[in-house]
Each structure stands twice: as C-alpha cells, then as structure tokens.
Amino acid sequence: MNTTVVRLTARSMLGGRRVLLLAALALLIVVLAVLLRVFADIDQGEAAALLRAVSLGTLLPLFGLIVGTGAIGPEIDDGSIVYLLAKPMSRATIIHSKLVVAVAAMFTFAVVPTVLAALIMVGGSGSLAVALGAGAFAAGAVYSAVFLLLATILRQAVMLGLVYALVWESLVGSVVPGARVLSVQQWALSVAESIAAPGLLSADVALGVAVVLLVGAFAAATWYAGWRLARFTLTGPE
Amino acid sequence: MATLTIDRVSRWFGNVVAVNDVTMTIRPGITGLLGPNGAGKSTLIAMLSGFLPPSTGAVTLDETPIWGNSDIYRSIGLVPEREATFEYLTGWEFVLANAQLHGLADPGGATRRALAAVDMEAPAQRRVGEYSKGMRQRVKMASALVHDPSVLLLDEPFNGMDPRQRMQLMRLLRTMGDDGRTVLFSSHILEEVEQLAQHIEVIVAGRHAASGDYREIRRLMTDRPHQYRIRSSDDRGLAAALIADGSVAGVALDGTDGGLNIETTEFLRFAGLLPRVARDAEISLYEVSPADESLESVFSYLIRR
C-alpha cells in the first residue's frame, strides 16, 4: 500500500459530486428505516427481507460499481494514470492502495448505513444488524475488487458492471437457481444467515462454500488487476 | 550517461504495422523525433517509456529492457502528450505527489527545485485545472524532472503552445540537454525540431527514414526534386524552352486538364529561370503551384531514397 496513491484516490473519488451521490443513497436507506419504524409496524422478519432486497440486493452492487470503477476508471480514461504508473513502484501496490480506498468508502457509505437501518428498524436486541453488517462488508469488499478489476481491464466497465449488477445478480439469480452459486449476493447472504437468528435470512449457498468463494474472488480479482495493470499499454491502433 | 537503444523494433496492432523494423540509438543531448502525424512517433515513445512492449526487437536503456521494469522510472522522466493531470490538485501538490510516488528522501525540497527549474513557483498554489496550456506543460515538466532523471521523454510537447511558451520550453529543454541528460521529444514540425535538436531522427509511416544532424536533414529536404504545376498561354512552347535548361529534370504535358508538370532538381535556379524564360518567349504564366510541398511529400521523398 502506498499512502500517496491512497490520498490521491480518496481525493479524486470523494472530492467531486460522487461523494454527494453516495451520501444521498446512504441517507436514503436510513431515512427509509426511520419512516418504517415510525409509521409502519414491522417485525424482524420483514426488516430482514427489506434490507436484504434494498441493501444487499441493490445498494451494495451499485455502490461497488461506483467506488470500484471510480477508484481507477477516470484516471485510465483521461490518461492521468500515467503519473502513477511511471514510478518505481509495483503496479500491484497501486491496485492495493486503490482497493483500500474503495473498501473504506463501501464501509462508510454502504455497510454503516445498512447496520444503522437494521438497528433503527429492529432495535439493538437482535443479531440482525451484526449479521447484515458482516454480509454487507463481505459483499462490499468483493464488489469493490471485482469492479476495480473490471475498470482496469475494460473501457466499458461501468456499462458491463451495471449489466452484471442488475441482470446477473437480480434477474438470473432469481430465475435460474443454479446461477445463485455464482452470485456475490448469495455468498454474502450465507455469511449473514450464519450470524442472524435462525429463520431470519436464508441463502442458497453453504457457509463454507460462500467463504471460500468470497475470499477466492476477492484475492483473484485483486491479483489479476495488479497483473493487468503491470501490462498496461498506452497507445493502441488509431 | 544514459543511452536509449531501439534495436530492430517492430510493433503492430492486429493488421496495422505502426513501427516497422526501426533501429536507433539516442544519446545524451537533445534528439528530435520528427515525422508526420500517425507516423508512429507516439508508438515509439510509448515503447521507450515502458507503456508498450515491442512486437519484435528490443527497447533498452543502458542495456536494461524497459518494458515490465518499473525500476526504470528512477532514470526516466515522462511528459505525456495528453493534458490530463490531477486537476483538483494545486501545482505544488501535483509535483509533490510525484516526488512522494518516487519515494524521494526530501520530496518537499525536490518539488521546490523542480518548480523553480520550470519557473512555476508563483502559480504553484493555484489548481492545475485553472492553468493555461503553457503552465500545464511546465508543471508536467516539473513532475517529470522532480526525481532528477537522466532521460527525459516528451511526446509532442509544443502542441498548442503560443510562440512565447514555445521559446520558454525550448530554453528549458536546452538546459536539460546541456546538463548531459538524454532528452527526446517528438514533433511533426520541422522548424521546431531544427531549432532545438542537435540530432534528428525522422520516422515516416512507421519506418526510420533518416537520421543525423539537422543540417543534413534540412539539405535532404530542400535538395530533393521539386514538382510544380504550371498553366500558361502556350504550354508546349514553355515546355520546349524550359527543358533546355539543366535545372529542369522533366516536363510533362497534362493531356486531360491542360497545363504542365515540371520537375526540377535545383529549386533556387528554377525560381529565377521560369519568369525569365516566360518573358523571353512572350508567354503569360497563369498559374505556378508547387505540387508536392506538403510535409508528407517531403517525408515520403526521404523514405524513397
């Protein structure tokens, strides 16, 4: 990890309007929780189902897309990445530093609001908040790494990421049961399920498999992004 | 002493050959890489700066391969053509970040020295996004100089600069060359290159067309056969009168549109000859235009030699 890369990435990712968008989305989920707590009488099961759909199902892949691609995509697009790459520093270090920023942003803007919303809706008694927090963190880290990789190797990373987040994770996962084994959301759910009170959440992937896949996907995406960045080329055919 | 070597290097992208079997050695001092747009200059600079592997051949700095070797950047300073920097940083922050990324022992001191070298101390507290083109170019220079590299690579550094900025940058590059650094810059404008570079490498359509002192290149470019298109009141009469002179290498009557196509080997003598011959033969000249004055044709002449 390199502190200068971390600092530059944090400034470019969170300096502009992107941070406002992230904060607004984070606030939305907390406000939703407050409104439901005040105006509707929801039980733990309903709160779990809601957060599962809103946070794990939508917010996390979307945030992962924003922070994962935002950590490196704009610099590759405008060419300023060259100032980071033309340095006596391993390219993997650059990826690690950018990933640290992306995961930290995920934690702040997606994991913390999810935990807060759970606490607001069901109170501090249950284990739901901890369960969802752990699941959200696991999913957030993997999404960050995968989308960072995507932005490193593809110019159309945002489009492709959006298709993955919306089509694969939501649609294919719900229609084709077998596809769920390859869904970050299901892996995260499996982690959350193991922590939450029995019956609150259910996942299609066993915990052991989920943990191996989460760690494996995170490590593989991070390693491959570094490998590809080490082979970054500046000019192509015009 | 840093020497860049390009040894039998080709680079292709799919079916397109961008650089075709080029061999050149770039030594300390200022070298200009001259060629028309799309000739492969940027591809060469990308390979020299470690951002593109050659398809075949070797690109080395003092015998160390450049591709895939991030330690090489201790010796190389790169000024990319694209303007984008970290717009949200001030000039000072930008150069300082570069110093820190190099892991320099005294990044603050190095930043001060680099900004002083490009005369950018005063605007250093303003954001890079607010800089003019010339200031941007200079702050990019400072970022490339901050680690005191022995090699400086600049891709089209004069593009879009006004004459004053151009002079300023030339002065700066001359200082770099006089310091014994290996400075390579690319340009598609002959005048730019010959004002600055002691040594010129010409590249055309991906091939190494000429190499040497700027005077040699200049001579090659002016002594080549020039072609003119002429329309007159009596094309045939004019053709007969012109071919009698030794400076005229060929005359052709244009059958379809009328007019004459003339080739001359001695530009200055022909310039005096044509009006004299026309006056003596009482022929009116309607049109005299160079048929091949574009830079491309000068370059393609060099390549044919």
XYZ file of all heavy atoms in Angstrom, chain A residues 15-76:
442
model
N -13.831 13.661 -3.825
C -13.748 15.111 -3.894
C -14.881 15.728 -4.692
O -15.333 16.828 -4.405
N -15.380 15.020 -5.665
C -16.358 15.640 -6.561
C -17.794 15.393 -6.151
O -18.117 15.319 -4.962
N -18.636 15.247 -7.158
C -20.061 15.070 -6.890
C -20.380 13.633 -6.474
O -21.436 13.362 -5.944
C -20.855 15.415 -8.163
C -21.739 16.620 -7.978
C -22.227 17.125 -9.311
N -21.234 18.013 -9.923
C -21.220 18.317 -11.215
N -22.099 17.805 -12.018
N -20.320 19.141 -11.697
N -19.417 12.738 -6.746
C -19.654 11.335 -6.471
C -19.965 11.106 -4.994
O -20.844 10.332 -4.636
C -18.428 10.507 -6.878
C -18.745 9.035 -7.025
C -17.538 8.247 -7.481
N -17.259 8.398 -8.902
C -16.162 8.956 -9.363
N -15.242 9.385 -8.549
N -15.986 9.064 -10.657
N -19.258 11.849 -4.126
C -19.449 11.662 -2.694
C -20.869 12.072 -2.287
O -21.475 11.474 -1.402
C -18.367 12.429 -1.893
C -18.565 13.935 -1.991
C -18.360 11.967 -0.451
N -21.409 13.086 -2.961
C -22.769 13.529 -2.641
C -23.780 12.451 -3.008
O -24.732 12.182 -2.267
C -23.096 14.831 -3.380
C -22.239 16.036 -2.985
C -22.612 17.250 -3.817
C -22.404 16.335 -1.498
N -23.557 11.826 -4.162
C -24.438 10.749 -4.608
C -24.405 9.592 -3.613
O -25.448 9.065 -3.202
C -23.990 10.268 -5.995
C -24.759 9.086 -6.594
C -26.162 9.518 -6.973
C -24.035 8.519 -7.807
N -23.192 9.226 -3.202
C -23.037 8.123 -2.257
C -23.712 8.472 -0.926
O -24.450 7.657 -0.364
C -21.547 7.838 -2.015
C -20.774 7.232 -3.190
C -19.292 7.123 -2.860
C -21.323 5.867 -3.549
N -23.482 9.685 -0.448
C -24.052 10.101 0.831
C -25.576 10.132 0.737
O -26.283 9.726 1.667
C -23.507 11.471 1.227
N -26.099 10.596 -0.404
C -27.551 10.674 -0.571
C -28.173 9.282 -0.539
O -29.200 9.054 0.117
C -27.879 11.381 -1.888
N -27.547 8.328 -1.243
C -28.062 6.960 -1.251
C -27.998 6.348 0.149
O -28.918 5.651 0.581
C -27.256 6.100 -2.234
C -27.567 6.310 -3.719
C -26.544 5.584 -4.581
C -28.975 5.821 -4.051
N -26.898 6.627 0.843
C -26.740 6.099 2.196
C -27.808 6.677 3.121
O -28.419 5.964 3.934
C -25.349 6.427 2.728
N -28.035 7.963 2.961
C -29.026 8.641 3.799
C -30.418 8.089 3.526
O -31.234 7.910 4.438
C -28.978 10.150 3.499
C -29.665 11.044 4.533
C -28.909 10.974 5.862
C -29.738 12.482 4.045
N -30.685 7.803 2.253
C -31.984 7.306 1.833
C -32.378 6.046 2.594
O -33.512 5.925 3.085
C -31.935 7.012 0.326
C -33.285 6.869 -0.376
C -33.982 8.217 -0.435
C -33.085 6.318 -1.779
N -31.435 5.144 2.721
C -31.755 3.872 3.366
C -32.009 4.073 4.869
O -32.888 3.439 5.459
C -30.652 2.812 3.096
C -31.071 1.452 3.659
C -29.322 3.196 3.669
C -30.183 0.341 3.180
N -31.281 5.020 5.466
C -31.504 5.320 6.892
C -32.865 6.000 7.081
O -33.630 5.655 7.992
C -30.360 6.201 7.444
C -30.638 6.607 8.881
C -29.032 5.448 7.359
N -33.158 6.936 6.198
C -34.453 7.636 6.288
C -35.603 6.651 6.098
O -36.616 6.694 6.829
C -34.534 8.768 5.230
C -35.948 9.312 5.109
C -33.563 9.886 5.586
N -35.439 5.731 5.150
C -36.444 4.696 4.907
C -36.704 3.894 6.184
O -37.857 3.627 6.565
C -35.946 3.767 3.790
C -36.958 2.761 3.232
C -38.027 3.475 2.423
C -36.251 1.725 2.363
N -35.609 3.551 6.855
C -35.724 2.779 8.092
C -36.476 3.568 9.162
O -37.350 3.032 9.860
C -34.329 2.394 8.593
N -36.154 4.849 9.278
C -36.823 5.691 10.279
C -38.317 5.782 9.992
O -39.157 5.610 10.876
C -36.187 7.108 10.300
C -37.008 8.050 11.174
C -34.749 7.045 10.795
N -38.652 6.019 8.715
C -40.060 6.139 8.338
C -40.816 4.860 8.643
O -41.931 4.883 9.186
C -40.173 6.470 6.832
C -39.750 7.873 6.425
C -39.832 8.051 4.914
C -40.613 8.920 7.145
N -40.212 3.716 8.305
C -40.880 2.439 8.553
C -41.064 2.200 10.046
O -42.079 1.687 10.493
C -40.064 1.291 7.926
C -40.177 1.193 6.406
C -39.172 0.196 5.852
C -41.602 0.806 5.994
N -40.046 2.592 10.803
C -40.105 2.413 12.259
C -41.238 3.250 12.841
O -42.000 2.795 13.686
C -38.758 2.835 12.862
C -38.719 2.848 14.380
C -38.667 1.404 14.858
N -38.928 1.292 16.274
C -38.048 0.810 17.138
N -36.861 0.424 16.736
N -38.369 0.707 18.402
N -41.369 4.474 12.339
C -42.349 5.408 12.901
C -43.765 5.101 12.416
O -44.707 5.061 13.194
C -41.964 6.863 12.552
C -43.041 7.829 13.014
C -40.625 7.216 13.201
N -43.906 4.864 11.095
C -45.258 4.782 10.543
C -45.781 3.368 10.335
O -46.970 3.147 10.218
C -45.338 5.558 9.223
C -45.111 7.029 9.405
C -43.955 7.640 8.957
C -46.068 7.808 10.065
C -43.746 8.994 9.144
C -45.859 9.162 10.253
C -44.695 9.770 9.801
N -44.891 2.409 10.222
C -45.371 1.039 9.993
C -44.840 0.156 11.106
O -43.758 0.380 11.637
C -44.880 0.537 8.634
N -45.620 -0.803 11.428
C -45.204 -1.710 12.491
C -44.603 -2.942 11.839
O -45.324 -3.822 11.393
C -46.439 -2.082 13.341
C -45.981 -2.793 14.599
O -44.829 -2.564 15.022
O -46.782 -3.581 15.135
N -43.255 -2.968 11.720
C -42.673 -4.130 11.036
C -41.917 -5.006 12.033
O -41.337 -4.529 13.000
C -41.733 -3.722 9.884
C -40.651 -2.739 10.377
C -42.504 -3.134 8.739
C -39.554 -2.555 9.381
N -41.960 -6.290 11.777
C -41.250 -7.215 12.666
C -39.861 -7.522 12.105
O -39.489 -7.055 11.029
C -42.064 -8.500 12.883
C -42.281 -9.270 11.585
O -41.426 -9.155 10.674
O -43.316 -9.973 11.461
N -39.123 -8.311 12.837
C -37.748 -8.629 12.446
C -37.652 -9.259 11.065
O -36.779 -8.938 10.278
C -37.151 -9.606 13.471
C -36.384 -8.923 14.552
C -35.284 -9.842 15.097
O -34.658 -10.597 14.366
N -35.072 -9.771 16.391
N -38.564 -10.191 10.797
C -38.543 -10.903 9.517
C -38.717 -9.955 8.357
O -38.004 -10.037 7.352
N -39.696 -9.026 8.509
C -39.932 -8.067 7.432
C -38.732 -7.131 7.247
O -38.346 -6.799 6.121
C -41.195 -7.247 7.715
C -42.462 -8.060 7.527
C -43.674 -7.402 8.169
O -43.497 -6.622 9.131
O -44.781 -7.663 7.705
N -38.155 -6.716 8.366
C -36.982 -5.834 8.290
C -35.832 -6.549 7.581
O -35.149 -5.961 6.730
C -36.551 -5.406 9.691
N -35.655 -7.830 7.924
C -34.573 -8.594 7.302
C -34.798 -8.719 5.805
O -33.880 -8.524 4.999
C -34.485 -9.981 7.934
N -36.040 -9.034 5.405
C -36.350 -9.182 3.981
C -36.124 -7.874 3.238
O -35.582 -7.853 2.126
C -37.797 -9.650 3.817
N -36.539 -6.783 3.873
C -36.402 -5.473 3.234
C -34.933 -5.106 3.027
O -34.516 -4.718 1.936
C -37.087 -4.403 4.095
C -37.022 -3.000 3.490
C -38.135 -2.813 2.480
C -37.094 -1.931 4.571
N -34.151 -5.258 4.097
C -32.743 -4.877 3.988
C -31.987 -5.800 3.036
O -31.060 -5.389 2.352
C -32.082 -4.879 5.373
C -32.425 -3.656 6.212
C -31.834 -3.773 7.596
C -31.923 -2.378 5.539
N -32.424 -7.033 3.014
C -31.810 -7.969 2.093
C -32.005 -7.505 0.649
O -31.073 -7.506 -0.158
C -32.454 -9.352 2.278
C -31.873 -10.403 1.394
C -32.825 -11.561 1.224
N -32.542 -12.166 -0.063
C -32.671 -13.448 -0.317
N -33.122 -14.270 0.594
N -32.380 -13.913 -1.507
N -33.228 -7.074 0.361
C -33.523 -6.627 -1.005
C -32.889 -5.274 -1.302
O -32.235 -5.088 -2.341
C -35.034 -6.565 -1.215
N -33.070 -4.326 -0.386
C -32.610 -2.957 -0.663
C -31.088 -2.845 -0.543
O -30.425 -2.320 -1.435
C -33.305 -1.946 0.287
C -32.703 -0.556 0.109
C -34.796 -1.917 0.016
N -30.565 -3.346 0.561
C -29.136 -3.148 0.804
C -28.281 -4.158 0.053
O -27.486 -3.801 -0.817
C -28.858 -3.234 2.303
O -27.479 -3.238 2.535
N -28.479 -5.444 0.372
C -27.638 -6.456 -0.271
C -27.952 -6.582 -1.757
O -27.070 -6.782 -2.583
C -27.812 -7.810 0.413
C -27.125 -7.986 1.769
C -27.372 -9.379 2.323
C -25.640 -7.723 1.639
N -29.243 -6.470 -2.074
C -29.648 -6.714 -3.450
C -29.361 -5.568 -4.400
O -29.040 -5.784 -5.568
N -29.479 -4.321 -3.915
C -29.380 -3.180 -4.816
C -28.245 -2.223 -4.457
O -27.395 -1.908 -5.288
C -30.705 -2.390 -4.821
O -31.772 -3.335 -4.973
C -30.739 -1.385 -5.931
N -28.267 -1.788 -3.205
C -27.323 -0.752 -2.787
C -25.870 -1.199 -2.938
O -25.035 -0.470 -3.478
C -27.608 -0.395 -1.318
C -27.047 0.923 -0.825
C -27.757 2.069 -1.515
C -27.213 1.027 0.686
N -25.569 -2.407 -2.481
C -24.174 -2.851 -2.481
C -23.583 -3.032 -3.881
O -22.499 -2.515 -4.144
C -24.035 -4.129 -1.654
C -23.893 -3.817 -0.158
C -24.345 -4.986 0.680
C -22.481 -3.418 0.174
N -24.298 -3.743 -4.776
C -23.706 -3.830 -6.115
C -23.555 -2.466 -6.769
O -22.553 -2.192 -7.438
C -24.686 -4.715 -6.897
C -25.818 -5.006 -6.011
C -25.470 -4.602 -4.630
N -24.526 -1.600 -6.547
C -24.476 -0.266 -7.137
C -23.300 0.536 -6.573
O -22.535 1.166 -7.315
C -25.793 0.458 -6.833
C -26.203 1.534 -7.827
C -26.390 0.938 -9.211
C -27.487 2.203 -7.358
N -23.141 0.490 -5.241
C -22.025 1.200 -4.610
C -20.695 0.606 -5.040
O -19.735 1.324 -5.286
C -22.146 1.109 -3.083
C -22.918 2.239 -2.494
C -23.989 2.778 -3.163
C -22.559 2.765 -1.267
C -24.715 3.826 -2.624
C -23.266 3.815 -0.720
C -24.341 4.346 -1.389
N -20.682 -0.725 -5.115
C -19.442 -1.384 -5.542
C -19.042 -0.899 -6.918
O -17.869 -0.628 -7.190
N -20.050 -0.758 -7.768
C -19.805 -0.278 -9.126
C -19.247 1.147 -9.092
O -18.258 1.457 -9.756
C -21.115 -0.328 -9.908
C -21.038 0.020 -11.384
C -20.207 -1.005 -12.119
C -22.423 0.097 -11.985
N -19.877 2.001 -8.276
C -19.446 3.408 -8.237
C -18.022 3.535 -7.677
O -17.165 4.178 -8.283
C -20.429 4.256 -7.401
C -21.796 4.272 -8.083
C -19.909 5.676 -7.246
C -22.890 4.915 -7.252
N -17.761 2.899 -6.538
C -16.437 3.104 -5.927
C -15.360 2.239 -6.592
O -14.218 2.676 -6.716
C -16.442 2.874 -4.393
C -17.431 3.805 -3.727
C -16.731 1.427 -4.042
N -15.734 1.047 -7.024
C -14.744 0.170 -7.654
C -14.242 0.748 -8.964
O -13.039 0.862 -9.186
N -15.180 1.160 -9.834
C -14.743 1.750 -11.101
C -14.212 3.161 -10.878
O -13.271 3.584 -11.536
C -15.893 1.809 -12.130
O -16.962 2.543 -11.556
C -16.374 0.417 -12.500
N -14.811 3.877 -9.913
C -14.397 5.261 -9.668
C -12.973 5.370 -9.145
O -12.333 6.415 -9.275
N -12.464 4.292 -8.559
C -11.119 4.346 -7.986
C -10.037 4.400 -9.061
O -8.939 4.886 -8.808
C -10.884 3.135 -7.077
N -10.337 3.909 -10.257
C -9.278 3.894 -11.278
C -9.781 4.288 -12.665
O -9.027 4.823 -13.477
C -8.587 2.498 -11.331
C -7.215 2.604 -12.004
C -9.460 1.460 -12.044
C -6.336 1.408 -11.773
N -11.081 4.074 -12.932
C -11.626 4.317 -14.266
C -11.357 5.702 -14.827
O -10.823 5.819 -15.937
N -11.693 6.767 -14.107
C -11.485 8.106 -14.660
C -10.013 8.396 -14.988
O -9.715 9.022 -16.000
C -11.968 9.037 -13.535
C -12.904 8.216 -12.734
C -12.391 6.811 -12.813
N -9.098 7.891 -14.157
C -7.676 8.130 -14.413
C -7.206 7.404 -15.663
O -6.349 7.900 -16.396
C -6.837 7.680 -13.214
C -6.967 8.627 -12.036
C -6.323 8.072 -10.775
O -5.633 7.044 -10.863
O -6.529 8.678 -9.711
N -7.775 6.216 -15.902
C -7.414 5.495 -17.127
C -8.016 6.215 -18.331
O -7.371 6.404 -19.351
C -7.880 4.032 -17.057
C -7.041 3.281 -16.013
C -7.767 3.351 -18.424
C -7.377 1.826 -15.856
